[in-house]
Amino acid sequence: MALRTILVQDDPMLRKKCRPVTVFNDRIKQLVDDLVETLKASGGVGLAAPQIGILRRVAVIMDINKKPEEVIVLINPEVIDKKGSERVPEGCLSFPNVWGYVTRPTWAKIRAQDVNGNWFEREGEDVVAQCFCHETEHLDGHVFTDRIEEFIDPEDIKQG
């Protein structure tokens, strides 16, 4: 495992569409391990491969609704259903100290593959649903600042 550098703001890699994973081998497992280690060290709740400069459709999310928290590995993910709508504060590890309100579903279902290539579906509520959408958008070259309806002063988040 290796701690990777998270790309920030205007890095062009963040705007590129990622290629699907077609070969499930030790390189993919290493990428997943690096993403997990980097995410845990960052204190964030989600991280996508392009954020560390790898243009593959891979992301990891911390399911903070589970106790203890659980890491969800998503390879070739797609959001296949969503319900509800809520305006929520959102940030991104690639945009330090940038926060804004975005509208996200309160529930979402994702279809993805695991590190062995097996397909699965998983449902998530609230922050997990938000992460499903946020991370899959990263894989398509979109960043959350494109969705911000109103920016929030980072000091207001800290005082929360």
Side-chain angles (χ1 to χ4, degrees):
M1 290 198 300
L3 196 59
R4 301 285 195 102
T5 299
I6 297 174
L7 304 179
V8 293
Q9 291 182 307
D10 294 328
D11 193 299
M13 291 289 275
L14 297 173
R15 294 287 187 172
K16 295 186 185 240
K17 187 170 178 144
C18 295
R19 294 183 311 275
V21 173
T22 56
V23 177
F24 293 82
N25 56 19
D26 288 342
R27 289 181 68 192
I28 290 301
K29 290 176 182 168
Q30 182 65 56
L31 172 58
V32 168
D33 288 346
D34 291 355
L35 282 166
V36 170
E37 183 176 348
T38 305
L39 176 61
K40 287 181 176 180
S42 75
V45 291
L47 186 65
Q51 291 179 273
I52 62 167
I54 307 293
L55 294 176
R56 291 287 184 208
R57 296 189 72 77
V58 180
V60 295
I61 293 170
M62 295 299 298
D63 186 342
I64 62 172
N65 294 335
K66 300 267 186 195
K67 299 296 178 218
E69 292 179 348
E70 178 185 333
V71 176
I72 306 169
V73 175
L74 303 170
I75 300 176
N76 299 323
E78 64 176 304
V79 176
I80 57 173
D81 196 9
K82 40 189 172 179
K83 295 179 184 156
S85 178
E86 184 175 24
R87 190 172 186 247
V88 293
E90 191 166 292
C92 179
L93 294 171
S94 289
F95 292 82
N97 297 312
V98 176
W99 290 85
Y101 286 107
V102 298
T103 300
R104 295 285 189 194
T106 55
W107 175 91
K109 182 189 277 188
I110 200 156
R111 182 173 188 264
Q113 289 172 282
D114 64 19
V115 293
N116 298 310
N118 300 310
W119 286 98
F120 68 92
E121 292 181 2
R122 180 148 180 174
E123 298 175 14
E125 294 181 330
D126 303 320
V127 173
V128 175
Q130 185 178 347
C131 286
F132 285 169
C133 296
H134 181 113
E135 300 310 328
T136 55
E137 287 174 0
H138 267 302
L139 303 177
D140 289 327
H142 303 294
V143 293
F144 93 111
T145 54
D146 297 342
R147 294 183 141 280
I148 289 180
E149 299 158 4
E150 177 186 351
F151 283 90
I152 304 169
D153 185 326
E155 290 301 313
D156 292 341
I157 296 291
K158 290 176 188 169
Q159 295 168 8

